[in-house]
Amino acid sequence: MELTFGSAARMTNMDPGLEQALVERCKRRDPEAFGRFVDAYQTRIYGYVKRMLRSSEDADDVAQEVFIKAFQAFDRFDGRSSLRTWLFRIAHNLCIDRLRKSDRSLSETSLDYDGDEGSWDIGDDRWQPENLVLNDELIQHIEVGLQTMSEKLRTVLLLHDREDLAYDEIAQALDLPLGTVKSRLFLARGHLQKHLTEYLGAQLR
C-alpha cells in the first residue's frame, strides 16, 4: 500500500554504483558530492521530519541538522545499510530528541508484537487510499490521522508507505526486529483506517 500525502516528488533508490561513488566522495569532504547528496534527499527528509514534528519551524532546523550530522559522520558509514536507510535513521533519532526536548507526545503502545512476522495479515484492499480519489479534504484527514497515532506507529507508517522503505530497511533504520516493524505497520494502518472510516463511508464497506 502506498499513501500519497502531498504533491512532492517521490524518489526511487539511487543506483548502487552511483551511491557508492557519492559516498566515497563525501567521505573525502567533496562539497560538490555533498551538494548532490543533499539535492537527492532533502525533499524526502524534510517531508518525513515535518510529519514527525508537526512544525515547519522545527522541521527546517532538524532537516538541516540531519545533513550536517551526515556530513560529519560519512567516514563512519560502512555500507551495511543503504544510504537512504542510514539517513532516515539519523533523521528519526533527531526527531525523537526534538520531541523529547519539547515534551511532545511520545506515547507508547502496548500492542507491539515481536513474534513470527508471518502471523500478521496486513493487507486490506478495501480502504487503500491509492484506490480512492485523494482530494484536498481527504489528504487533510489523512494528515490528522497521522498526528493522532503514537510516534512509534507514525514512524513505521511514514517510512514504509510514504518513503518506500522495505521492512528490513525500516528494521535497520529503527534498530527493531522485523516482526515489530510489521506489527506496528499493521496497527498504524488499523488506526488510520478507523480514523478515515466516517469520512470514506460506503467506500470502506
Side-chain angles (χ1 to χ4, degrees), residues 91-111:
H92 173 72
N93 289 338
L94 288 174
C95 284
I96 297 305
D97 288 345
R98 180 62 64 99
L99 287 169
R100 284 172 176 157
K101 289 176 181 177
S102 62
D103 213 18
R104 262 173 275 170
S105 174
L106 280 172
S107 56
E108 302 287 325
T109 175
S110 61
L111 300 177

Side-chain angles (χ1 to χ4, degrees), residues 1-204:
M1 183 187 75
E2 173 183 316
L3 304 183
T4 306
F5 302 114
S7 59
R10 299 172 63 80
M11 299 192 63
T12 57
N13 289 340
M14 186 178 294
D15 175 80
L18 176 60
E19 177 178 294
Q20 182 59 35
L22 192 63
V23 168
E24 293 304 320
R25 290 176 61 191
C26 286
K27 285 182 176 181
R28 297 195 296 269
R29 300 295 191 263
D30 183 328
E32 180 184 356
F34 187 68
R36 291 182 63 187
F37 168 68
V38 173
D39 288 343
Y41 289 103
Q42 62 182 344
T43 299
R44 294 183 65 170
I45 291 298
Y46 177 79
Y48 171 73
V49 168
K50 185 176 179 181
R51 287 183 173 90
M52 286 296 295
L53 300 180
R54 292 164 281 172
S55 163
S56 296
E57 183 177 351
D58 284 349
D60 286 337
D61 292 342
V62 172
Q64 290 185 41
E65 190 176 355
V66 169
F67 289 102
I68 291 171
K69 284 195 172 292
F71 186 68
Q72 294 171 339
F74 257 117
D75 58 345
R76 298 194 298 275
F77 177 69
D78 57 15
R80 286 185 292 179
S81 64
S82 68
L83 187 58
R84 70 170 184 166
T85 300
W86 179 70
L87 191 61
F88 275 112
R89 180 166 193 163
I90 295 173
H92 173 72
N93 289 338
L94 288 174
C95 284
I96 297 305
D97 288 345
R98 180 62 64 99
L99 287 169
R100 284 172 176 157
K101 289 176 181 177
S102 62
D103 213 18
R104 262 173 275 170
S105 174
L106 280 172
S107 56
E108 302 287 325
T109 175
S110 61
L111 300 177
D112 290 333
Y113 175 75
D114 294 322
D116 179 7
E117 67 256 20
S119 300
W120 290 96
D121 179 14
I122 295 175
D124 186 351
D125 293 337
R126 294 174 301 167
W127 77 282
Q128 292 183 2
E130 71 267 26
N131 296 329
L132 306 170
V133 176
L134 288 182
N135 57 36
D136 290 342
E137 186 176 357
L138 178 55
I139 291 172
Q140 184 178 27
H141 276 271
I142 292 172
E143 293 285 359
V144 172
L146 282 171
Q147 303 312 325
T148 59
M149 67 179 67
S150 71
E151 166 270 327
K152 285 183 175 183
L153 301 188
R154 184 168 68 250
T155 297
V156 173
L157 185 68
L158 288 174
L159 289 178
H160 188 275
D161 290 350
R162 170 67 183 178
E163 303 303 340
D164 297 328
L165 268 67
Y167 296 133
D168 60 336
E169 291 181 299
I170 298 171
Q172 290 178 350
L174 304 183
D175 195 23
L176 292 172
L178 194 60
T180 299
V181 170
K182 290 193 173 188
S183 69
R184 290 184 184 179
L185 183 60
F186 174 84
L187 293 168
R189 287 176 174 173
H191 179 100
L192 191 57
Q193 178 181 5
K194 182 178 179 181
H195 180 80
L196 294 176
T197 296
E198 182 178 351
Y199 176 74
L200 296 177
Q203 292 176 294
L204 294 175

